[in-house]
Amino acid sequence: MRAVLFPGQGSQYVGMASEFYQKYDSVKKIFKKVDEALGYQLSKIILEGDENKLKLTQNTQPAIMTVGVSIFNVLNQEFNFNLNNSKFFAGHSLGEYTALVCAGSLSIENAAYLLNERGKAMQEAVPLGKGAMIAVLGININEVRELILKFRNIRAGICEIANDNAKGQVIISGDSESVKKFQLFIKEKKIKSIPLKVSAPFHCSLMKSAAESMREKINNTNFIDPKFNIISNVKALPETEAKNIKNLLIDQIFKTVKWRESIIYISNKGVSNFIEIGPGKVLNGMVKRTLTNVKSFSINSIADIKNLVNEFKK
């Protein structure tokens, strides 16, 4: 059995999906739909840059979704590699929207609109430079929780777990001063951390205003029950009812992305093949750090697809 995974922010790069765009009319149609939904040429930003425009959160989020949906469709339609019989779909943060499009719950036009608005709302929630994120490495989620509790006893401020990404990789988000002080706090305990190059402190309580600004937009958008099991970032469990999916997407903006738990849940349900579809190989690495005795694939080129098809012919 297999699961399909869709990446989140940070995986983008100028030129992603360009070989698919050049070769397949179906991809050109997808890009055109997104351009028309947004009212500007996101396709040009994706394919030609400039990089600074692509890095704008309001562009990054619909761009990664557009690429993921494009590659998914090429696999299904051009290579007859049926991903629709996969046991689970899961997306990391904005990747959950890609999963919903591919599972027939959300139109690509509506996903592009919501992600563009989501990106703007998340960016506007905290003034530039007032938020920060770090990756804490080498310790587990429970150890990080204990450290945060101890830190809160000596300092007020926002310092929260944003992502439980993989075994030994937990992301912290909050106000800049608190996150920097927390980094020094754990450095004294010989715990390694890395600052992340982000424009806002995602997935923490500082994003509640962004969630509120998205509530009406999400609730007014048409969702239908997905054809396949979608793993919710917030619950790390499947969700198949459109009404519940809407509420979880609102909560997801300011709550922890439970990615490690999601991957473990999928594995415990008998899945041994994980297929990451979209730019980069970030999720592939997270799967390998968290699970043993599974196969994980990253699909972001035609060569990757051919290798995948050959692998499943064996």
Side-chain angles (χ1 to χ4, degrees), residues 20-171:
F20 294 100
Y21 183 88
Q22 289 162 12
K23 187 164 184 178
Y24 300 110
D25 287 339
S26 61
V27 173
K28 290 186 180 75
K29 287 175 184 175
I30 288 169
F31 275 59
K32 186 180 179 184
K33 280 182 181 179
V34 170
D35 285 352
E36 289 174 350
L38 294 177
Y40 66 94
Q41 283 195 300
L42 181 66
S43 58
K44 191 170 183 179
I45 295 171
I46 294 170
L47 298 167
E48 301 172 22
D50 65 51
E51 191 175 351
N52 289 329
K53 282 188 179 177
L54 183 60
K55 281 181 179 176
L56 288 173
T57 305
Q58 67 203 60
N59 292 329
T60 305
Q61 296 197 17
I64 290 173
M65 180 277 298
T66 302
V67 170
V69 172
S70 296
I71 298 173
F72 179 88
N73 282 6
V74 167
L75 259 165
N76 271 332
Q77 296 170 11
E78 307 293 343
F79 286 83
N80 296 316
F81 189 86
N82 188 9
L83 290 166
N84 295 335
N85 61 12
S86 303
K87 191 168 177 66
F88 297 105
F89 284 25
H92 190 278
S93 190
L94 79 89
E96 199 166 331
Y97 287 78
T98 318
L100 288 164
V101 174
C102 293
S105 177
L106 183 63
S107 73
I108 192 165
E109 293 92 340
N110 284 340
Y113 162 74
L114 287 177
L115 286 171
N116 180 257
E117 293 295 319
R118 181 180 184 265
K120 286 189 280 192
M122 293 171 88
Q123 189 62 66
E124 291 166 3
V126 179
L128 201 62
K130 296 295 184 182
M133 299 179 77
I134 61 169
V136 179
L137 306 175
I139 60 174
N140 66 40
I141 187 79
N142 291 327
E143 290 172 303
V144 176
R145 285 195 188 107
E146 287 176 18
L147 286 165
I148 287 176
L149 284 173
K150 288 176 182 175
F151 178 71
R152 282 179 182 159
N153 288 333
I154 59 174
R155 179 178 174 82
I158 306 297
C159 185
E160 299 169 2
I161 294 171
N163 305 58
D164 179 11
N165 274 341
K167 185 178 179 182
Q169 189 195 100
V170 179
I171 308 301

